[in-house]
């Protein structure tokens, strides 16, 4: 019998048996390569769709540069404390707004404003004029051009205006443009001219430090942030959290910081004007005694919820600053240790103030 398979047929079968497997592997490699190319093309399409266009980068970089330049160019330094702050409002705008508010308040308090001939008005004017002169000298020494230049433009203008308002409220405040308001309720705690000079010096310090303009600048920045938040979250939920949080964590602490700066500058102005700087401490001690009394109906809020430091905190700060203010008062700061020039000057000034009080008492 002949063999069923010859060598030729075996080779033929072997050929046909391996050819299909070889073709199958080729097809698999082709499909695998094709799948890789498909995935790569999809990845490239995703990258091309998520790539930020150049004009967006240019806008971001340009906006950031402008904002950074605007912030750095708007930085100013607070005198004495040397604190840096951002100012977006010019002193001219600040003064114009203060003058407008001043005339509004004159109309509002028209029936309660004491006449210039009133003894309280005369006292405030007399003490204020001396502290105002010290404020002008302070501005010149610290190169506060926004204040000193305004005083030098017109020698006939009054550096400060003083308005005494009949009110039970114990308060004093100042407006940009050098307008000082004193409420008669404050005289429950202010018993002499030295203590009055501490109050007026504090208010003048706010003007010298441009605290009103600083608050305006912060308000502008805060309003801008709120508008941006409302664009991102039109529901207003985040804005309702942002506003009280910034008030508690930023606005109130910053307001207390500015009041502390005004206390520090104020006692220097009083000392330069030959008023006893220790009187500022007595004013807050009087307020503390009243706040601890049972007759006080106006309960002071906790310090962290107040725009002003607690009386105890202000007394502690004054204790730290009184040595340097005393040197100014005694003449050691500007004229050298034991200078007879400053001592004689303040002696003469206090004699003049005593005579002015006597004349005011006789004429009233």
């Amino acid at each position: 019998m002949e063999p069923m398979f010859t060598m030729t047929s075996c080779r033929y079968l072997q050929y046909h048996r391996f050819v299909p497997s070889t073709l199958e592997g080729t097809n698999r490699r082709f499909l695998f390569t094709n799948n890789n190319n498909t995935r790569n093309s999809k990845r490239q399409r995703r990258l091309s769709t998520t790539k930020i266009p150049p004009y967006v980068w240019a806008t971001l970089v340009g906006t950031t540069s402008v904002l950074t330049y605007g912030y750095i160019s708007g930085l100013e330094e607070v005198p004495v404390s040397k604190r840096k702050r951002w100012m977006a409002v010019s002193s001219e705008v600040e003064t114009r707004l203060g003058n407008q508010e001043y005339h509004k308040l004159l109309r509002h308090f028209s029936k309660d404003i004491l006449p210039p001939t009133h003894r309280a008005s005369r006292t405030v004017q007399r003490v204020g004029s001396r502290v105002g002169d010290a404020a002008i000298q302070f501005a010149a020494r610290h190169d506060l051009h926004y204040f000193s230049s305004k005083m030098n433009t017109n020698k006939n203008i009054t550096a400060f205006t003083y308005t005494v308002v009949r009110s039970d409220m114990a308060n004093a405040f100042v407006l940009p443009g050098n307008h000082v308001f004193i409420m008669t309720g404050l005289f429950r705690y202010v018993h002499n001219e030295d203590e009055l000079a501490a109050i007026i010096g504090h208010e003048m310090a706010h003007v010298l430090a441009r605290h009103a303009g600083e608050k305006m600048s912060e308000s502008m920045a805060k309003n801008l942030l709120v508008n941006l938040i409302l664009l991102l979250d039109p529901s207003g939920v985040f804005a309702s959290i942002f506003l009280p949080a910034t008030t508690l964590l930023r606005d109130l602490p910053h307001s207390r910081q500015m009041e502390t700066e005004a206390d520090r500058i104020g006692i220097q102005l009083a000392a330069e004007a030959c008023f006893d700087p220790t009187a500022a401490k007595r004013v807050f001690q009087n307020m503390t005694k009243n706040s601890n009394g049972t007759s006080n109906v106006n309960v002071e809020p906790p310090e962290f919820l107040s725009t002003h430091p607690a009386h105890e905190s202000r007394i502690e700060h004054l204790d730290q600053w009184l040595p340097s203010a005393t040197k100014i008062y005694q003449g050691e700061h500007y004229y050298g240790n034991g200078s007879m020039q400053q001592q004689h000057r303040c002696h003469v000034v206090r004699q003049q103030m005593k005579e002015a009080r006597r004349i005011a008492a006789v004429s009233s």
Side-chain angles (χ1 to χ4, degrees), residues 150-162:
K150 179 168 55 179
M151 295 297 102
N152 294 330
T153 53
N154 190 346
K155 298 297 183 179
N156 296 323
I157 66 174
T158 303
F160 287 86
T161 64
Y162 306 94

Side-chain angles (χ1 to χ4, degrees), residues 160-163 173-175 178-182 200 203-204:
F160 287 86
T161 64
Y162 306 94
T163 305
F173 60 91
V174 67
L175 297 175
N178 309 336
H179 306 295
V180 179
F181 284 78
I182 303 291
I200 296 178
E203 301 304 331
M204 291 182 178

Side-chain angles (χ1 to χ4, degrees), residues 238-362:
F238 188 73
S240 63
I241 300 174
F242 172 79
L243 288 173
T246 54
T247 299
L248 182 63
L249 301 177
R250 169 62 183 175
D251 297 345
L252 292 178
H254 189 211
S255 177
R256 293 192 293 269
Q257 184 180 28
M258 289 189 286
E259 293 298 328
T260 302
E261 290 173 344
D263 285 344
R264 186 176 183 181
I265 298 174
I267 62 171
Q268 292 189 15
L269 299 180
E272 176 67 22
C274 292
F275 292 100
D276 184 6
T278 60
K281 183 177 178 179
R282 293 197 299 268
V283 172
F284 294 114
Q285 287 173 339
N286 295 337
M287 293 182 177
T288 302
K289 292 177 182 178
N290 185 77
S291 62
N292 293 332
T294 57
S295 61
N296 184 34
V297 295
N298 297 322
V299 180
E300 293 290 333
E303 186 176 71
F304 74 96
L305 293 177
S306 177
T307 57
H308 289 61
H311 300 324
E312 294 80 5
S313 299
R314 301 178 89 161
I315 292 173
E316 291 179 3
H317 288 139
L318 288 171
D319 285 333
Q320 300 174 10
W321 305 324
L322 278 175
S324 60
T326 302
K327 289 182 179 181
I328 297 175
Y329 179 63
Q330 295 176 349
E332 298 178 11
H333 188 77
Y334 299 121
Y335 302 101
N337 187 17
S339 171
M340 294 302 296
Q341 180 181 357
Q342 172 71 356
Q343 294 176 9
H344 177 71
R345 183 182 72 88
C346 281
H347 176 73
V348 172
V349 168
R350 295 191 71 85
Q351 289 296 323
Q352 293 173 351
M353 289 190 291
K354 183 178 179 179
E355 179 65 16
R357 288 194 299 270
R358 185 189 68 80
I359 295 174
V362 172

